[in-house]
Amino acid sequence: MQLHDVWFVLIAVLWTGYFFLEGFDFGVGILTKLLARDRPEKRVLINTIGPVWDGNEVWLLSAGGATFAAFPEWYATLFSGFYLPLLVILVCLIVRGVAFEYRAKRPEENWQHNWETAIFWTSLVPAFLWGVAFGNIVRGVKIDQHFEYTGGLVDLLNPYALLGGLVTLTLFTFHGAVFTALKTVGDIRLRARRLAARTGLLTAGLALVFLLWTQAHSGDGKSLVALIMAVAALLAALVANQAGREGWSFALSGITIVATVAMLFLSLFPNVMPSTLNSDWSLTVTNASSSPYTLRIMTWCAAIATPIVMLYQGWTYWVFRKRIGTQHIAEAAH
């Protein structure tokens, strides 16, 4: 395996980590409208991800930075061709971070309600658009002989990509509901489990169609194994959720995300962005990569920094591992 292949795998791992971690906090943000009945319950939901949401976004920065350094042609074509949806995602992430920090700065009802509404929409929109973006990457887009995207926004809104958006939206919502059940106590925990059961069934139906479509389009034996793992893990997560085993259900929903992202990257390799105009114009791990020297330097940096970041983030989750409920919210307690 050459270094550009190694970095393709590492970028896949970074995106997998991002969707696993950011997936449940997108889901929790969506649940602030779907699950919470009053302000204390909204505060409970936000507090479950309060200590970790910004750390989860580090995986996105790492994935983007690694793509820029390891595959500059891929980065250039991706960010120029997908400029508008990626800009919308970026604005949502900025507003979302501001909403988390500013929501409790003033006591007025309208002030807090508006920021909570912002948290909902800036969680829902990226959860959908990431699926659309990766659906187009796997399906292929209009890339010419100069490795430039020649399509428009409408070309990105095709049925396969839109279905991918619905899959990530429902899967992240399910992941967030299971995480909420794992991290809360009382009535909100029970309602989170019931909501997880409903969203999980919807996710299973959409994901099965999307993954089978992906397999038929560009899959092979390895991607088929990932498909089976994703579907089996999702069904097992539903069973565990029904049995009240929130820890197992969360782990299995995470495995579903890992297997799904793995299947997409396995279907993509050795391409990084296929061309629908001419297969000879596709971006691959070979023609889109940096020089071997650059990749060697990056490999040493990643080998040193990655374990440190993972240990620190794991420690953060351990410190904030306990469940919370409305009784832990000061106003509700009184």
Side-chain angles (χ1 to χ4, degrees):
M1 181 179 287
Q2 299 186 48
L3 275 179
H4 51 66
D5 298 325
V6 171
W7 273 97
F8 179 85
V9 174
L10 291 176
I11 288 172
V13 170
L14 290 172
W15 280 110
T16 302
Y18 174 67
F19 287 140
F20 182 100
L21 297 171
E22 190 85 312
F24 70 73
D25 72 43
F26 279 150
V28 171
I30 294 168
L31 294 181
T32 57
K33 288 287 187 183
L34 302 183
L35 183 65
R37 292 175 174 173
D38 51 30
R39 175 135 296 116
E41 288 193 352
K42 290 182 180 180
R43 289 184 61 185
V44 167
L45 290 175
I46 293 171
N47 287 352
T48 62
I49 59 174
V52 298
W53 68 267
D54 47 355
N56 294 343
E57 291 186 358
V58 170
W59 291 78
L60 173 62
L61 299 176
S62 300
T67 304
F68 171 77
F71 299 100
E73 287 283 359
W74 184 12
Y75 182 93
T77 304
L78 176 64
F79 279 78
S80 60
F82 293 19
Y83 178 79
L84 184 57
L86 292 178
L87 176 63
V88 172
I89 291 174
L90 177 61
V91 171
C92 284
L93 294 179
I94 293 171
V95 174
R96 188 169 181 264
V98 173
F100 282 132
E101 299 298 331
Y102 276 56
R103 180 189 57 83
K105 294 298 184 183
R106 290 171 55 179
E108 290 87 352
E109 179 77 16
N110 286 341
W111 172 271
Q112 296 191 7
H113 173 76
N114 290 338
W115 285 120
E116 288 162 359
T117 300
I119 290 172
F120 170 76
W121 286 109
T122 55
S123 299
L124 185 149
V125 172
F128 175 74
L129 288 180
W130 279 127
V132 174
F134 271 84
N136 278 294
I137 291 173
V138 174
R139 173 182 174 271
V141 292
K142 295 179 179 178
I143 299 175
D144 64 15
Q145 64 270 31
H146 304 295
F147 300 141
E148 295 179 358
Y149 177 68
T150 60
L153 178 62
V154 176
D155 296 305
L156 302 178
L157 303 178
N158 55 80
Y160 175 79
L162 293 175
L163 177 59
L166 291 176
V167 169
T168 52
L169 175 59
T170 55
L171 181 55
F172 291 168
T173 304
F174 171 69
H175 197 40
V178 171
F179 178 79
T180 300
L182 176 64
K183 289 288 292 179
T184 58
V185 295
D187 182 59
I188 193 170
R189 173 187 178 187
L190 299 177
R191 285 188 281 114
R193 279 166 48 187
R194 290 196 292 267
L195 182 61
R198 295 195 296 272
T199 56
L201 290 173
L202 176 60
T203 302
L206 293 172
L208 183 60
V209 175
F210 177 73
L211 295 177
L212 288 175
W213 193 343
T214 304
Q215 181 67 23
H217 177 262
S218 54
D220 56 16
K222 294 178 182 178
S223 63
L224 179 60
V225 172
L227 185 158
I228 295 171
M229 287 181 59
V231 174
L234 181 54
L235 295 177
L238 284 168
V239 173
N241 176 73
Q242 193 67 23
R245 304 296 299 272
E246 290 103 343
W248 280 105
S249 185
F250 178 71
L252 289 164
S253 68
I255 291 173
T256 302
I257 293 175
V258 171
T260 299
V261 177
M263 181 188 178
L264 294 180
F265 276 92
L266 287 169
S267 301
L268 190 60
F269 187 81
N271 295 318
V272 293
M273 280 191 80
S275 172
T276 57
L277 299 179
N278 188 325
S279 60
D280 292 335
W281 300 342
S282 296
L283 287 168
T284 68
V285 292
T286 303
N287 63 25
S289 68
S290 294
S291 67
Y293 179 74
T294 300
L295 296 179
R296 283 197 299 271
I297 296 297
M298 289 177 60
T299 303
W300 280 107
C301 293
I304 296 170
T306 303
I308 297 173
V309 172
M310 293 184 70
L311 285 171
Y312 174 76
Q313 194 163 21
W315 176 78
T316 303
Y317 277 93
W318 174 255
V319 170
F320 295 100
R321 66 189 181 278
K322 292 184 178 180
R323 296 176 183 266
I324 62 173
T326 53
Q327 66 269 30
H328 300 112
I329 304 300
E331 290 86 344
H334 293 297

